C-alpha cells in the first residue's frame, strides 16, 4: 500500500499526464476544426491552444491553483502548438479517420473530465463539487473552440456531451470514495465518458428538446 505522500505524488503525476494527453487531443480537435474552416496557420494555432487549455485554466482558477498550469508550464503550450502544426501540414492524414473532430473531441473530453475530478480531489473539494468541476474541465475546451468559430457550443445542443463528462468524473469520485486504485479508477472514468459520448454520436441519442409553442404566450385570444 502507498503512504499518503506517495499517493499524493502519484495522483499529481497522473493529473499531469492526463492533462497533457487531453491538451493534445483537444488541440488536434480545435486545429482540425480550424482547417475545415480554412483558417490561416496563426488562426489554427490560436484555436488549438484555446481549445486545449480553456477547460484546465477555468478549473485551476476555480480551485485557487494560480497561475493556471497551462500558463506556467511550457509543456502545455508546446503540446498544443505541436498539435496545431501537425494538423496544418498533415491534415489529410488525420481526415482519414472517421469523423476525426468528434472522436478527438470525445477523447479530450474524457481525459479532461478525469483530470479535473482528480485535481479537485487533490485540492480537497467535496465529492459532488469534484464531479462537477471534472465536468466543467471537460467541456471547457469544446466551448472555447465552438465560440471562436461562431458556432453554438456542443454542450448546449441535444447530444450527450456534458452528461458524458459528468459520468466519467462521477466514476473517478466514486472510485476515490471506495478507495479503489487511482490508475484503475481514472481508466474506468475515462472509458465510461468516451464510450458514452461515442455511442451517443453513433446511435443518435439525444436529451429532450424544448418544444416551441405555436401560440405566443402573450398573444390575445
Amino acid at each position: 500500500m502507498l503512504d499518503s505522500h506517495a499517493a499524493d505524488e502519484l495522483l499529481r503525476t497522473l493529473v499531469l499526464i492526463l492533462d497533457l494527453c487531453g491538451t493534445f487531443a483537444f488541440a488536434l480537435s480545435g486545429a482540425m476544426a480550424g482547417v475545415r474552416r480554412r483558417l490561416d496557420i496563426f488562426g489554427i494555432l490560436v484555436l488549438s491552444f484555446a481549445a486545449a487549455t480553456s477547460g484546465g485554466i477555468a478549473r485551476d482558477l476555480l480551485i485557487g491553483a494560480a497561475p493556471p498550469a497551462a500558463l506556467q508550464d511550457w509543456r502545455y503550450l508546446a503540446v498544443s502548438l505541436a498539435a496545431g502544426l501537425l494538423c496544418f501540414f498533415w491534415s489529410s492524414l488525420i481526415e482519414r479517420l472517421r469523423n476525426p473532430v468528434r472522436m478527438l473531441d470525445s477523447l479530450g473530453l474524457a481525459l479532461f473530465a478525469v483530470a479535473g475530478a482528480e485535481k479537485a480531489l487533490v485540492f480537497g473539494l467535496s465529492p459532488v463539487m469534484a464531479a462537477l468541476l471534472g465536468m466543467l474541465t471537460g467541456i471547457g475546451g469544446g466551448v472555447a473552440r465552438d465560440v471562436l468559430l461562431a458556432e453554438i457550443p456542443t454542450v448546449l445542443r441535444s447530444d450527450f456531451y456534458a452528461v458524458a463528462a459528468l459520468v466519467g468524473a462521477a466514476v473517478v469520485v466514486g472510485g476515490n470514495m471506495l478507495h479503489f486504485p487511482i490508475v484503475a479508477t481514472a481508466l474506468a472514468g475515462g472509458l465510461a465518458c468516451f464510450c458514452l459520448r461515442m455511442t451517443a454520436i453513433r446511435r443518435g441519442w439525444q436529451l429532450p428538446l424544448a418544444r416551441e409553442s405555436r401560440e405566443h404566450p402573450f398573444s390575445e385570444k
Side-chain angles (χ1 to χ4, degrees):
M1 296 291 290
L2 296 174
D3 58 30
S4 59
H5 178 71
D8 287 344
E9 286 299 320
L10 175 60
L11 191 53
R12 291 179 187 275
T13 302
L14 179 62
V15 169
L16 176 62
I17 293 172
L18 291 172
D19 251 359
L20 291 175
C21 291
T23 296
F24 186 72
F26 259 131
L28 286 176
S29 171
M32 285 304 300
V35 168
R36 290 182 172 184
R37 296 291 289 270
R38 301 190 61 80
L39 301 183
D40 61 20
I41 185 170
F42 180 75
I44 288 173
L45 293 179
V46 169
L47 195 61
S48 66
F49 181 74
T53 59
S54 295
I57 290 174
R59 173 202 63 203
D60 289 351
L61 291 176
L62 287 174
I63 63 178
L71 300 182
Q72 66 174 338
D73 190 334
W74 64 269
R75 288 172 290 189
Y76 288 87
L77 177 62
V79 166
S80 62
L81 294 183
L85 292 173
L86 178 65
C87 291
F88 183 81
F89 290 107
W90 294 285
S91 60
S92 58
L93 296 177
I94 301 175
E95 282 288 0
R96 293 178 183 177
L97 300 173
R98 183 179 179 182
N99 210 337
V101 173
R102 282 191 171 183
M103 188 187 72
L104 292 168
D105 182 74
S106 300
L107 180 59
L109 181 73
L111 291 167
F112 269 143
V114 171
E118 295 281 14
K119 192 164 187 176
L121 292 172
V122 170
F123 276 75
L125 269 67
S126 68
V128 173
M129 291 299 104
L132 291 176
L133 193 63
M135 179 190 70
L136 178 63
T137 307
I139 67 177
V143 170
R145 178 199 62 219
D146 294 343
V147 168
L148 289 174
L149 291 175
E151 297 179 356
I152 298 175
T154 305
V155 69
L156 300 180
R157 302 174 194 171
S158 57
D159 51 6
F160 282 67
Y161 194 77
V163 172
L166 184 59
V167 168
V171 170
V172 171
V173 172
N176 178 266
M177 294 175 65
L178 296 173
H179 304 289
F180 289 163
I182 297 172
V183 176
T185 300
L187 181 61
L191 285 175
C193 177
F194 181 79
C195 292
L196 178 57
R197 171 69 179 144
M198 292 303 296
T199 302
I201 291 174
R202 293 181 179 179
R203 297 192 178 184
W205 290 351
Q206 294 184 337
L207 295 175
L209 297 175
R211 294 185 179 181
E212 183 179 2
S213 176
R214 295 183 178 179
E215 182 178 343
H216 195 280
F218 300 106
S219 61
E220 296 182 0
K221 295 183 179 180

